[in-house]
Amino acid sequence: KFRATVAVPEPKVVAVKRKPGDKFLILAIPGLWDVVTPGDTCAFIERRLSVPQTIRQWDKKPTNNSGPPCVKALANELAAHAISKGTKRNVNIILILLKNFWDLP
């Protein structure tokens, strides 16, 4: 009886203690990290979130049953940024906002 074996890579797990000032969390695959440093990625997101008008352009405040489409748009912008930097891999990004940006003045 033939039995195929498949090598399953060990997942990379990192635990980081959150700080009160944390604003967002970015989960991405190497397609992003190959061409954009974590610091540059955070600065990119921070710049976009620091302009209240930008957030208002994307969408109004989300309802209880809907995710904010602006987060998807921002993740898409970040993916496009990685593509413009020349990534040769797929770019998958999960962006989680840890702060309510819709209630800012």
Side-chain angles (χ1 to χ4, degrees), residues 18-24 46 98-99 101:
R18 285 191 47 207
K19 298 174 189 161
D22 289 345
K23 298 177 182 177
F24 51 85
E46 186 72 40
L98 303 172
K99 183 178 174 183
F101 290 90

Side-chain angles (χ1 to χ4, degrees), residues 18-25 46 49-50 55 61-62 68 70-71 95-105:
R18 285 191 47 207
K19 298 174 189 161
D22 289 345
K23 298 177 182 177
F24 51 85
L25 174 66
E46 186 72 40
L49 291 175
S50 68
I55 294 169
K61 185 175 180 177
C70 70
V71 176
L95 175 62
I96 302 167
L97 299 183
L98 303 172
K99 183 178 174 183
N100 183 353
F101 290 90
W102 289 267
D103 289 340
L104 295 176

Side-chain angles (χ1 to χ4, degrees), residues 59-103:
D59 194 26
K60 54 189 170 184
K61 185 175 180 177
T63 63
N64 290 337
N65 295 330
S66 70
C70 70
V71 176
K72 181 178 179 181
L74 187 51
N76 286 339
E77 282 185 41
L78 186 55
H81 180 62
I83 291 166
S84 75
K85 292 280 202 174
T87 189
K88 302 292 185 215
R89 300 200 216 187
N90 290 334
V91 180
N92 294 323
I93 299 169
I94 298 172
L95 175 62
I96 302 167
L97 299 183
L98 303 172
K99 183 178 174 183
N100 183 353
F101 290 90
W102 289 267
D103 289 340

Side-chain angles (χ1 to χ4, degrees), residues 5 13-14 22 26 29 32 43 47 49 51 69 72 104:
T5 59
V13 179
V14 178
D22 289 345
I26 303 166
I29 62 174
L32 174 68
R47 277 192 309 273
L49 291 175
V51 181
K72 181 178 179 181
L104 295 176

